[in-house]
Amino acid sequence: MSQSTDHWIDLRSDTVTQPGDAMRAAMAAAPVGDDVYGDDPTVNRLQDVAAEMFGYEAGLFAPSGTQSNLIALLVHCARGDEYLVGQEAHTYKYEGGGAAVLGSIQPQPIANQPDGSIALSDIEAYIKPDDMHFARTRILALENTIGGRVLSAEYMAAATSLAHARGLATHLDGARICNAAVKQGISLRAATAGFDTVSVCLSKGLGAPVGSVLLGPKAFIELGKRWRKMLGGGMRQAGMLAAAGLYALEHHVERLADDHSNAANLSRGLAQIAQLKVATPQTNIFYIEVPPAAVDALRSTLLREHIRITVGQHTRLVTHLNVSAADIERVIAVFTAFFKDWRPS
Ligand SMILES: *Cc1c(COP(=O)(O)O)cnc(C)c1O
């Protein structure tokens, strides 16, 4: 079923999206200025619009989610402080140890439960007493969605209340918080309620080419701006990038439901294949288990069929705005044909 087409179906991540014509037009038309001077009207508008949408006083446009989370940790914590964080969390596992390297901030990783949450009893247990032997526990950092799983609004309320009651601040790595909100049918404000600060990725499912926005109290964002400059994130005529982010926030939030239904259809289709173990997605990300002996051959078959997936024994599949319902059908057909013929040798 080889196709002579230049159309690639890319399920590696929702970071691979291409800006469409309307987004590119918005970028080209954006008024710009020098954002280090605070002069870029489009960056300022993005920061204001995002703050309003998510219910915060102020926003800060950053070049990446990694930098946005790092800025948050650097403002929340001083040298010798620590943050409570999940073992599987991006801010612990996938940001190069940035908080420790650049902020002398100690992570206190805690096991994530199968649903992605951190047990409230664990949060309680890991908060250290005021004692010179210990790092000072300053904040609880959660992530939603985490590995495509949604932490419920009820859990978020309980975890942030507990943290606040114990004198901690709360930070949300909301790289995919819009997916969590759309999935639960709640507002963006409700999805971030209880968090002092939140980092939102514009370049994941929202489909902007670059950028994240950090949201929080005005004074916090002012301090964050200093760290952003020090980290090299002070950009100049960044309004062209911010325009893409604005377009994404205005047009690409509700449509995340399509990504969720595409993921559900893909999962249902692949679940028909006896050799695979297929998880049921809650949002746009899910995992399948591939027999180790099939990994190499499957990888080559998919590439030949112009399908990009990072194939391993544990394989992640991600849907996004450049994956259509027809693409999903084609991926299911290619997998089905492959496993129909495949026997462990
Ligand atoms: C992608 C991601 C980030 C960081 O984003 P970059 O822009 O790639 O640095 C942070 N947290 C989570 C959960 C992510 O998926």
Side-chain angles (χ1 to χ4, degrees):
M1 59 171 4
S2 269
Q3 291 215 342
S4 58
T5 167
D6 282 341
H7 176 61
W8 281 82
I9 302 171
D10 195 336
L11 298 172
R12 289 172 301 171
S13 175
D14 48 9
T15 55
V16 302
T17 54
Q18 293 281 329
D21 291 342
M23 182 180 279
R24 285 171 186 265
M27 296 171 74
V32 298
D34 188 330
D35 182 49
V36 172
Y37 287 102
D39 283 352
D40 191 304
T42 311
V43 171
N44 291 338
R45 197 155 77 80
L46 168 66
Q47 292 171 166
D48 291 347
V49 166
E52 166 68 23
M53 281 175 84
F54 291 88
Y56 289 85
E57 273 179 20
L60 187 66
F61 185 45
S64 71
T66 298
Q67 186 175 102
S68 172
N69 280 323
L70 177 58
I71 292 168
L73 291 172
L74 287 167
V75 178
H76 279 298
C77 301
R79 189 176 180 205
D81 290 350
E82 75 170 6
Y83 62 111
L84 305 183
V85 64
Q87 282 281 2
E88 300 168 27
H90 205 279
T91 48
Y92 171 60
K93 197 173 173 186
Y94 300 103
E95 295 183 6
V101 173
L102 299 167
S104 300
I105 302 161
Q106 164 173 293
Q108 169 59 71
I110 306 175
N112 288 98
Q113 299 300 307
D115 68 0
S117 69
I118 301 175
L120 298 179
S121 54
D122 284 345
I123 294 173
E124 185 90 53
Y126 278 101
I127 298 172
K128 296 177 183 50
D130 183 6
D131 175 318
M132 71 169 83
H133 293 85
F134 303 130
R136 289 165 301 217
T137 313
R138 288 292 193 210
I139 76 164
L140 171 66
L142 294 176
E143 178 176 322
N144 201 13
T145 63
I146 177 163
R149 293 161 298 187
V150 176
L151 302 182
S152 71
E154 295 71 31
Y155 168 76
M156 301 292 253
T160 54
S161 306
L162 166 61
H164 287 147
R166 298 292 304 269
L168 308 189
T170 52
H171 174 69
L172 175 63
D173 178 354
R176 297 188 180 83
I177 191 61
C178 298
N179 295 84
V182 166
K183 172 65 182 191
Q184 295 175 95
I186 62 176
S187 68
L188 299 176
R189 285 175 173 234
T192 54
F195 288 89
D196 300 305
T197 57
V198 55
S199 170
V200 179
C201 279
L202 303 166
S203 61
K204 298 281 168 73
L206 294 183
V210 173
S212 281
V213 21
L214 176 62
L215 304 167
K218 225 181 181 76
F220 185 99
I221 294 299
E222 279 309 311
L223 294 169
K225 205 176 281 183
R226 295 184 70 88
W227 284 114
R228 184 185 67 173
K229 189 77 184 79
M230 192 191 295
L231 296 171
M235 298 184 286
R236 302 295 177 172
Q237 284 71 28
M240 300 179 89
L241 301 174
L246 268 169
Y247 185 91
L249 285 174
E250 283 160 2
H251 298 94
H252 289 170
V253 175
E254 293 309 319
R255 64 148 307 286
L256 292 171
D258 300 343
D259 299 344
H260 300 168
S261 73
N262 280 336
N265 289 337
L266 180 56
S267 155
R268 268 193 294 273
L270 297 181
Q272 303 303 312
I273 300 170
Q275 294 96 331
L276 297 176
K277 263 210 206 94
V278 179
T280 302
Q282 295 178 21
T283 56
N284 68 324
I285 301 178
F286 68 103
Y287 292 84
I288 60 174
E289 302 295 326
V290 176
V295 164
D296 288 342
L298 178 61
R299 188 181 293 130
S300 343
T301 298
L302 292 174
L303 279 179
R304 205 167 54 238
E305 295 289 342
H306 282 197
I307 297 169
R308 286 203 175 97
I309 293 173
T310 311
V311 184
Q313 193 177 336
H314 195 56
T315 294
R316 184 176 84 150
L317 297 163
V318 187
T319 57
H320 52 77
L321 88 170
N322 295 140
V323 177
S324 67
D327 291 339
I328 295 297
E329 292 312 313
R330 212 171 91 70
V331 173
I332 294 169
V334 169
F335 267 84
T336 304
F338 175 87
F339 280 105
K340 190 162 160 279
D341 299 336
W342 181 79
R343 298 282 174 279
S345 47

